């Protein structure tokens, strides 16, 4: 079943000519390119990248067996190693000579083990006696030695993402010396020693196949696949993670327990450590962000999920060239011909395929029943938003009142991630406001990842849908809504009014007016103008809502105009007048508005009272009871606000009443 597979190969692999006696295949980890070199390059070289699908084709003179071939960053200079002493170069830059030029290693009797491009014009030779750092000068067709370091080298690995080369030294290959390259400089980092597994064989050496370097959650780690001999009575092999900081000492931080022995390979996918086991043709994943057993310095982790195979893959063609009408053939997974590169690349040179390994989140939902742990896992993944929202919807549809603690835990995890982003956004805004000129342009706004599930997301995709579930008890629905509001309040996130409106509408829908009254009375629902307007609209079904709305507007202290409008719309003209006087606004209040409202009541006594009030105000302010132009025109019920009538002739009679 598809739901059992949480790993898959990319559906658009890079296809290349498979390795044969005439065709040699190379992979460049820095540029993520596959080189197919036919007959030493004399009959053609085809380069295909994982990012740019347009192949690069060229020919070069056959000067012997090619041991290594790579482009500089940017594909402007080609480097080819054919012997253990020299590396040949060919400019592919326009207007430069196309003639090859060579560089021999400086150290006498040294043997070049390989080379790494660290920039578009900088290259490192790794020899068995050290490393040599060069600058390539393509216009002069020569190289300039920038720095070198003498050290006995058993093997090396390179991490292009961090520009760190790791050299293995010592007799047992367990002492590692890292070097960091940046902007034409080479920095020697602190060397460290890896713990060898307990064994009865003293000659055991660490192989480069058991070492990987990768960036996990923004930190560089050295991963050591430590095997245990049968005599050690160990539960199985393990992966030891050493944190390699730019400065300071390398420390052992994590141990991933594999609980089995055999042949393994490592990949890093979406910050997860994926360990492939060839014997059982299965893989397991580890997340070092999840809680594990710790002794204060090293954390032990078990696999997040049960071991599963990679999703079966159908190869549509028997190689890179399609055959019309051919039936897709199943790919043999975990083949001995597979070669794994970091972070997530799997190559089958015998078949001519390069895949990216990918994680499938939806099957994990069914394999990880602990909702809290599941949410911790999903929140760290790159494409998690839709899955998280579906998990929340499913969790609520299947839950009951006993599930509220679990629901609260999930809401708190979402709110914590949401709050972290809001704080980062606030800090960025303050930094931009306080900085000036160029410094403000250098500031980077926080990246909103898919793990940021805001109130709008929850409202639209989860809570609104949940309130429509007829099978769910209405009191449980209210409890869930209030639990989410509680979580937002706990993390000091201002609650949007539409969440309160959803609570009120749900209460009204189920005639829970007593609960609504309590929520408002004890300020469980925060005051806002939209909420007050909603309460006003409920007066026909719940008459006390009118007064509750007025009380809310009064508490806001910024809704005085709205309060007046509400009172006048209810023909409570004197109440509106008293309110205006209570807030000291009667001197600037519009007489026309109040006289118009009084006239609409058809109550002459009320009209006279309001009229006398404003006459007295005019006399007090200007020494004259007369109204200024604009205040002596009234509106009838049939008129729009822009259409007015003159003061009625009966007004004089009212004045002398």
């Amino acid at each position: 079943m598809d739901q059992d597979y949480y790993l898959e190969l990319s559906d658009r692999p890079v296809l290349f000519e498979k390795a044969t006696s005439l065709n040699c295949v190379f992979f460049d980890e820095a540029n993520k390119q596959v080189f197919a070199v036919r007959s030493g390059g004399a009959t053609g070289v085809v380069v295909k990248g994982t990012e740019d699908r347009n192949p690069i084709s060229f020919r070069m003179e056959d000067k012997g067996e090619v041991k290594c071939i790579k482009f500089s960053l940017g594909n402007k200079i080609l480097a080819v190693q054919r012997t253990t002493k020299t590396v040949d170069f060919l400019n592919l830059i326009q207007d430069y000579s196309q003639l090859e030029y060579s560089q021999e290693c400086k150290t006498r009797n040294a043997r070049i083990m390989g080379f790494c491009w660290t920039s578009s014009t900088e290259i490192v030779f790794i020899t068995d006696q050290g490393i040599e750092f060069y600058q390539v000068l393509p216009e002069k067709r020569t190289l300039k030695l920038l720095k070198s370091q003498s050290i006995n080298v058993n093997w090396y690995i390179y991490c292009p993402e961090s520009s760190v080369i790791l050299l293995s030294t010592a007799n047992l290959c367990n002492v590692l010396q890292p070097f960091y390259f940046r902007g034409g400089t080479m920095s020697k980092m602190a060397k460290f020693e890896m713990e060898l597994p307990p064994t009865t064989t003293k000659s055991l050496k660490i192989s480069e196949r058991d070492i990987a370097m990768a960036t996990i959650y923004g930190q560089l780690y050295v991963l050591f696949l430590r095997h245990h001999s049968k005599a050690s009575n160990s539960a199985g092999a393990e992966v030891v993670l050493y944190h390699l900081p730019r400065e300071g000492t390398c420390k052992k931080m994590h141990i991933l327990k594999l609980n089995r022995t055999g042949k393994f390979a490592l990949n890093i996918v979406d910050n997860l450590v994926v360990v492939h086991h060839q014997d059982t043709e299965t893989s397991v994943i580890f997340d070092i962000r999840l809680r594990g057993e710790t002794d204060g310095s090293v954390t032990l982790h078990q696999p997040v999920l049960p071991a599963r195979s990679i999703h079966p893959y159908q190869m549509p063609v028997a190689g890179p060239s399609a055959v019309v009408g051919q039936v897709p053939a199943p790919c043999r997974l975990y083949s001995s011909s597979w070669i794994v590169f970091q972070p997530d690349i799997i190559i089958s040179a015998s078949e001519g395929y390069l895949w990216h390994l990918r994680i499938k989140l939806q099957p994990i939902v069914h394999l990880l029943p602990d909702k809290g742990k599941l949410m911790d896992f999903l929140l760290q993944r790159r494409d998690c938003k839709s899955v998280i929202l579906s998990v929340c919807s499913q969790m609520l549809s299947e839950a009951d009142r006993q599930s509220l603690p679990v629901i609260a835990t999930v809401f708190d995890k979402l709110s914590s991630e949401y709050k972290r982003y809001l704080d980062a956004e606030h800090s960025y805004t303050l930094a931009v406001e306080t900085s000036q000129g160029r410094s403000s342009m250098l500031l980077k706004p926080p990246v909103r990842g898919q793990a940021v599930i805001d109130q709008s997301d929850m409202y639209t995709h989860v809570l609104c849908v949940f309130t429509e579930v007829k099978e769910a008890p209405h009191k449980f629905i209210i409890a869930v809504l209030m639990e989410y509001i509680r979580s937002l309040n706990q993390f000091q996130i201002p609650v949007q009014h539409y969440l309160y409106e959803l609570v009120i509408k749900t209460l009204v829908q189920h005639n829970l007016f007593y609960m609504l009254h309590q929520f408002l009375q004890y300020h469980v629902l925060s005051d806002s103008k939209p909420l007050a307007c909603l309460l006003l609209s409920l007066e026909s079904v719940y008459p006390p809502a009118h007064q509750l709305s007025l009380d809310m507007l009064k508490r806001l202290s910024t809704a005085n105009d709205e309060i007046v409008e509400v009172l006048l719309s209810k023909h409570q003209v004197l109440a509106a007048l008293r309110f205006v006087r209570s807030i000291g606004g009667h001197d600037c209040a519009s007489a026309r508005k109040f006289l118009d409202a009084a006239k609409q009541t058809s109550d002459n006594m009320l009209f006279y009272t309001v009229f006398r009030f404003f006459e007295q105000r005019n006399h007090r302010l200007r020494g004259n009871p007369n109204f200024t132009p604009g205040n002596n025109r009234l509106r009838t019920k049939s008129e729009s606000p822009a259409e007015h009538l003159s003061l009625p002739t009966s007004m004089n009679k009212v004045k002398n009443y």
Side-chain angles (χ1 to χ4, degrees), residues 395-396 398-405 407 473 476 480:
M395 176 183 67
L396 295 183
E398 298 174 352
D400 53 27
R401 292 198 70 86
Q402 282 69 38
S403 307
L404 271 177
I407 295 170
F476 176 62
V480 169

Side-chain angles (χ1 to χ4, degrees), residues 576-586 613:
L577 209 51
R578 282 194 293 270
F579 174 75
V580 169
R581 237 164 77 169
S582 70
I583 61 173
H586 54 291
F613 172 83

Side-chain angles (χ1 to χ4, degrees), residues 77 89-91 96-103 135-144:
I77 307 172
F89 295 86
L90 180 64
N91 296 332
Y96 284 174
S97 171
Q98 302 297 311
L99 296 175
E100 285 191 6
Y101 49 102
S102 300
Q103 177 63 48
Q135 180 182 8
V136 183
L137 306 172
E139 68 280 4
K140 297 181 180 180
R141 295 197 301 116
T142 185
L143 277 75
K144 175 184 177 183

Side-chain angles (χ1 to χ4, degrees), residues 401-421:
R401 292 198 70 86
Q402 282 69 38
S403 307
L404 271 177
V406 176
I407 295 170
T409 299
V410 171
F411 285 166
D412 286 347
K413 292 181 184 298
L414 298 180
S415 297
S416 176
E417 196 71 28
Y418 183 23
K419 176 63 172 176
R420 188 179 296 114
Y421 171 75

Side-chain angles (χ1 to χ4, degrees), residues 169-378:
T169 66
N171 292 334
L172 299 178
C173 306
N174 64 322
V175 177
L176 299 180
Q177 175 63 66
F179 289 88
Y180 171 62
F181 299 86
R182 182 184 178 89
T185 62
M186 180 179 80
S187 305
K188 187 177 182 180
M189 301 166 67
K191 69 178 179 180
F192 62 99
E193 182 176 343
M194 292 188 297
E195 297 177 11
L196 293 171
T199 177
T200 56
T201 306
K202 294 184 179 181
S203 61
L204 178 67
K205 293 184 178 182
I206 295 177
S207 167
E208 62 183 297
R209 292 191 301 270
D210 296 330
I211 300 294
M213 263 198 304
T215 301
I216 307 174
Y217 290 117
Q219 301 294 322
L220 181 62
Y221 287 91
V222 177
L223 291 79
F224 172 32
L225 182 56
R226 188 162 67 178
H227 300 273
H228 291 278
S229 65
K230 294 180 180 179
S232 65
N233 295 322
S234 173
E238 56 194 23
V239 179
V240 185
L241 272 66
Y242 292 85
H243 177 224
L244 186 59
R246 191 67 49 80
E247 297 179 358
T249 58
C250 184
K251 294 182 180 179
K252 182 169 69 171
M253 300 290 291
H254 303 274
I255 297 178
L256 315 181
K257 305 296 289 185
L258 301 181
N259 304 317
R260 58 182 62 180
T261 58
K263 294 181 179 180
F264 299 93
L266 303 175
N267 273 131
I268 307 297
V269 182
D270 202 2
N271 291 312
L272 297 169
V273 181
V274 183
V275 184
H276 309 290
H277 189 230
Q278 190 179 52
D279 296 344
T280 60
E281 297 186 355
T282 58
S283 304
V284 290
I285 58 175
F286 295 86
D287 188 350
I288 62 173
R289 280 274 177 94
L290 294 183
R291 187 176 301 173
E293 299 177 20
T294 180
D295 61 2
S297 59
V298 180
T299 305
L300 269 65
H301 299 268
Q302 296 293 336
V304 177
L305 301 167
R308 291 288 188 273
S309 170
I310 296 172
H311 193 285
Y313 186 84
Q314 299 291 323
M315 294 192 295
V317 295
S321 58
V323 178
V324 178
Q326 184 177 6
V327 179
C331 172
R332 184 188 170 189
L333 303 177
Y334 303 91
S335 168
S336 58
S337 66
W338 276 17
I339 307 171
V340 172
F341 293 95
Q342 300 310 319
D344 60 356
I345 290 174
I346 296 175
I347 294 179
S348 175
S350 62
E351 297 289 349
Y353 279 80
L354 180 152
W355 299 278
H356 287 281
L357 186 65
R358 300 190 303 204
I359 186 82
K360 296 168 65 179
L361 296 182
Q362 195 60 50
I364 296 174
V365 173
H366 308 287
L367 295 171
L368 201 55
D370 185 332
K371 289 295 188 290
K373 188 176 181 181
L374 173 63
M375 204 55 59
D376 287 336
F377 178 86
L378 291 177

